[in-house]
Amino acid sequence: MRIAASPHRPDSPTVPLQDVLGDVRNNPSSGASMGYHGHKMVRGVNIGGFLVPEFWITPSLIAGVPDPKPGDYLELCKRLGAEATLQLMRRHWETWVTEAEVQRLAGAGLTHLRVPIGHWEFVDSDDGYVRGGLPYFKRLVYWASKYGLRVIADMHTAPGSQNGFDNSGTTSGVNWTNDARNVALSKRALQTMLKYIASDPVVLATVDAIDLLNEPLIDLLDFEQLWEYDTGGHTLVTQGLHRVPPVVSIVDRGFKDFSWWQPRWPRDWNSKYIDAWLDAHLYHVFDRNIDGWPLENHLRLVCQNGRDLKSNSTFFPIIVGEWSLALPQAALAGRENEARRRFAEAQLDAYELGGAGWVFWCFKTESSPEWSFLDALDRSWIPQPLTNREFPPICH
């Protein structure tokens, strides 16, 4: 999201493709209408701020760090050093997401958890990141399996940063494709992640999609290198985690229009045996041009986004991998509960039109309820059941 111990050694050599081959039982999740190629419609939530810290989500994580506060995870690691960072993060990993919360998310009608993971868990890029979160990832996947949820494993970061946002681990620039060694490390990280997933039967059965790389800022990257990474990653996923229905490879659209992707999307990807989805992140608070809009304008934009999703889904299935209830203040107009409920209902209707489904950002925050699925449930901003509507549908 954008605002301004493994049994396999993370530093092991590149994992041969044959080492990640393996079958997994066909056990699709329940509780949602059928989606694309036998996959259930995804209705999910992001487990943000967990394995990839974002301090706006968990400001308490850095409350004890002297000013000036670190702006990203890499800065925290360098400020505290490896030992102190690991102690701090272990307390965080242990407590930030609980089994009771996973059970509640499943009970709310969700089908999936999208779990951002840092590349540093799988490779050592010599830049100072502190690893150690994989046992907690596995614990989370086991909880998801227990309550009938499936998991999207999301490679959220890249060496050198693919976007310069705090969600990439560092805000010090967009340098991923400036050095071929960075891209090579990302490929090795993805291979090692797949080997890690394949090594545990429960994890292998529960992870049914791989998000290859979160929010690459294509305009500031060498697209040829990015596309080689994406297509190679897709091959690894479809051949290395073989199952029916297949494990999905998710390609982030990288802030480009759907029309830009149409001529670039391989026509053979979405065949009977191969699946790939395009990921679109749809927010209403990062464009200063719409800050003054009334709520009705935002709702119309949601409906237009829904029409765009539907018309472009003939080229590629589209998952809305991130969205929230955050709105500029002008749209609330002193009626926050009504505005956020109407905003939620419109998005829930519109974002299934891309064929794959949606994933809300985020499951919880410490102090921003419009970004918290659990807080939104408590405030009745998110309907229960998810198909319940207080207001007449507006997206047709």
Side-chain angles (χ1 to χ4, degrees), residues 54-163:
E54 297 181 44
F55 302 137
W56 71 270
I57 298 175
T58 55
S60 67
L61 191 59
I62 56 172
V65 180
D67 292 334
K69 301 296 186 185
D72 55 58
Y73 183 51
L74 182 57
E75 187 179 351
L76 176 69
C77 294
K78 291 181 176 180
R79 286 273 300 276
L80 296 186
E83 183 176 350
T85 300
L86 184 58
Q87 290 178 355
L88 176 67
M89 293 307 301
R90 280 177 174 160
R91 291 193 296 270
H92 173 67
W93 294 326
E94 189 65 45
T95 59
W96 178 237
V97 56
T98 68
E99 181 177 356
E101 289 168 336
V102 173
Q103 183 178 17
R104 187 181 179 202
L105 293 171
L110 297 182
T111 64
H112 283 72
L113 307 179
R114 179 175 180 254
V115 185
I117 309 173
H119 68 276
W120 52 82
E121 295 291 352
F122 305 104
V123 294
D124 184 358
S125 51
D126 297 325
D127 42 17
Y129 288 106
V130 176
R131 64 166 66 104
L134 286 183
Y136 301 93
F137 170 74
K138 181 178 288 188
R139 183 182 68 174
L140 176 59
V141 174
Y142 270 64
W143 288 341
S145 176
K146 180 178 179 179
Y147 296 106
L149 294 166
R150 293 295 172 261
V151 168
I152 300 170
D154 165 34
M155 186 66 76
H156 214 66
T157 71
S161 180
Q162 75 277 20
N163 57 33

Side-chain angles (χ1 to χ4, degrees), residues 6-28:
S6 166
H8 303 286
R9 289 178 54 82
D11 57 349
S12 62
T14 299
V15 181
L17 179 60
Q18 61 267 24
D19 285 356
V20 295
L21 297 178
D23 291 325
V24 61
R25 69 180 185 268
N26 178 17
N27 186 17

Side-chain angles (χ1 to χ4, degrees), residues 52-373:
V52 179
E54 297 181 44
F55 302 137
W56 71 270
I57 298 175
T58 55
S60 67
L61 191 59
I62 56 172
V65 180
D67 292 334
K69 301 296 186 185
D72 55 58
Y73 183 51
L74 182 57
E75 187 179 351
L76 176 69
C77 294
K78 291 181 176 180
R79 286 273 300 276
L80 296 186
E83 183 176 350
T85 300
L86 184 58
Q87 290 178 355
L88 176 67
M89 293 307 301
R90 280 177 174 160
R91 291 193 296 270
H92 173 67
W93 294 326
E94 189 65 45
T95 59
W96 178 237
V97 56
T98 68
E99 181 177 356
E101 289 168 336
V102 173
Q103 183 178 17
R104 187 181 179 202
L105 293 171
L110 297 182
T111 64
H112 283 72
L113 307 179
R114 179 175 180 254
V115 185
I117 309 173
H119 68 276
W120 52 82
E121 295 291 352
F122 305 104
V123 294
D124 184 358
S125 51
D126 297 325
D127 42 17
Y129 288 106
V130 176
R131 64 166 66 104
L134 286 183
Y136 301 93
F137 170 74
K138 181 178 288 188
R139 183 182 68 174
L140 176 59
V141 174
Y142 270 64
W143 288 341
S145 176
K146 180 178 179 179
Y147 296 106
L149 294 166
R150 293 295 172 261
V151 168
I152 300 170
D154 165 34
M155 186 66 76
H156 214 66
T157 71
S161 180
Q162 75 277 20
N163 57 33
F165 306 144
D166 61 345
N167 64 38
S168 73
T170 178
T171 56
S172 62
V174 184
N175 299 304
W176 181 50
T177 58
N178 291 346
D179 188 334
R181 291 173 296 181
N182 289 336
V183 181
L185 279 170
S186 283
K187 293 176 181 177
R188 181 150 58 89
L190 180 61
Q191 291 175 313
T192 308
M193 182 171 78
L194 294 177
K195 185 174 182 180
Y196 178 84
I197 291 168
S199 70
D200 184 288
V202 174
V203 178
L204 185 60
T206 307
V207 173
D208 67 359
I210 304 294
D211 202 326
L212 298 174
L213 184 61
N214 179 71
E215 292 187 345
L217 190 51
I218 288 177
D219 285 344
L220 298 182
L221 296 171
D222 179 348
F223 180 70
E224 183 176 348
Q225 293 185 69
L226 170 61
W227 194 232
E228 181 186 3
Y229 169 84
D230 282 337
T231 54
H234 174 262
T235 299
L236 277 174
V237 170
T238 55
Q239 295 184 15
L241 299 177
H242 181 66
R243 60 182 284 181
V244 178
V247 174
V248 175
S249 300
I250 299 177
V251 176
D252 195 293
R253 70 171 177 169
F255 308 100
K256 305 298 282 188
D257 292 338
F258 296 134
S259 59
W260 187 90
W261 277 101
Q262 289 175 12
R264 294 170 171 84
W265 195 263
R267 289 294 170 261
D268 62 340
W269 269 16
N270 296 311
S271 66
K272 181 179 179 181
Y273 301 107
I274 299 177
D275 275 79
W277 296 348
L278 194 67
D279 187 3
H281 298 175
L282 301 177
Y283 292 119
H284 287 237
V285 288
F286 299 119
D287 182 354
R288 300 284 78 86
N289 294 317
I290 66 175
D291 277 355
W293 279 10
L295 177 64
E296 298 301 327
N297 286 22
H298 289 277
L299 299 180
R300 281 193 285 270
L301 178 57
V302 169
C303 295
Q304 180 59 58
N305 285 336
R307 289 189 291 271
D308 290 343
L309 291 168
K310 185 175 182 179
S311 64
N312 283 280
S313 66
T314 59
F315 294 92
F316 27 67
I318 305 167
I319 185 168
V320 180
E322 295 185 17
W323 62 282
S324 77
L325 299 185
L327 283 164
Q329 196 64 32
L332 302 180
R335 303 177 67 178
E336 180 180 20
N337 289 333
E338 177 184 336
R340 297 206 196 277
R341 175 67 179 235
R342 292 180 66 192
F343 192 39
E345 291 185 7
Q347 291 184 95
L348 288 169
D349 289 340
Y351 295 166
E352 294 192 2
L353 297 177
W358 49 263
V359 190
F360 186 91
W361 188 282
C362 157
F363 85 109
K364 73 175 181 181
T365 67
E366 290 182 345
S367 58
S368 303
E370 67 273 24
W371 294 94
S372 167
F373 189 88

